[in-house]
Amino acid sequence: MTTTPAPATSYRTAERLSRRAFAWGAAAAVAAPVAAAASVPDDERRFIARCDTSISVERLADAPYFFIGKKVDLHGVVGPVTDPDRFDLYVAKGAILFVVVFGNSEGLKADRRLRVLGTVEKPVPARDDFGGIVLYAVVRKVFIE
């Protein structure tokens, strides 16, 4: 049994083929720029992949300085919406622990279950019902569901 060697391809032929393939690839990228752009679900998936899922509203409310800079995936209930640029995310309806979420709150209704994907920022001080200063954990909203 004899084996025949593979046909030899010249360097010029290989170069021509690679130029054509590159030209078609570039033309396809120019003809369909939408396919090259990342979609919101793709960005959201990438953000979720980088989230620390061990951080909950409870943990964040208890230790507002500990998680600064972390990306979080929080689930909770929207509190009373009094400001168009922020809202409070409670652990559950009627709960005491909550996190302040900065981002557009238009269209949100109180007592609605919500998922917030965002980044933890420096806590904000506020007065409590007894006149003392309390620090509230802050999350800058990136995505909301």
Side-chain angles (χ1 to χ4, degrees):
M1 174 189 233
T2 60
T3 58
T4 56
T9 309
S10 71
Y11 174 74
R12 287 184 191 263
T13 305
E15 186 177 348
R16 261 189 264 130
L17 289 174
S18 67
R19 282 187 189 160
R20 284 186 187 149
F22 177 76
W24 279 106
V30 171
V34 177
S39 65
V40 173
D42 291 338
D43 291 341
E44 190 173 346
R45 257 187 249 112
R46 278 193 291 274
F47 189 89
I48 291 170
R50 292 180 285 163
C51 283
D52 186 345
T53 56
S54 69
I55 302 172
S56 63
V57 174
E58 298 96 339
R59 288 188 67 200
L60 193 52
D62 285 338
Y65 277 105
F66 191 71
F67 300 107
I68 293 175
K70 298 275 187 178
K71 293 177 180 1
V72 292
D73 180 0
L74 300 175
H75 300 265
V77 176
V78 176
V81 180
T82 57
D83 189 336
D85 296 326
R86 70 170 205 67
F87 61 93
D88 299 336
L89 187 69
Y90 286 82
V91 175
K93 186 176 178 180
I96 297 171
L97 296 175
F98 70 92
V99 173
V100 178
V101 179
F102 281 102
N104 187 359
S105 64
E106 291 179 22
L108 290 180
K109 304 274 190 242
D111 300 331
R112 177 181 168 210
R113 294 219 40 92
L114 199 64
R115 179 183 190 187
V116 175
L117 302 170
T119 306
V120 180
E121 293 185 349
K122 187 178 173 185
V124 293
R127 292 219 177 266
D128 64 3
D129 295 339
F130 306 106
I133 300 292
V134 180
L135 288 174
Y136 292 112
V138 173
V139 173
R140 177 74 55 187
K141 172 189 80 148
V142 177
F143 297 103
I144 194 167
E145 293 178 359

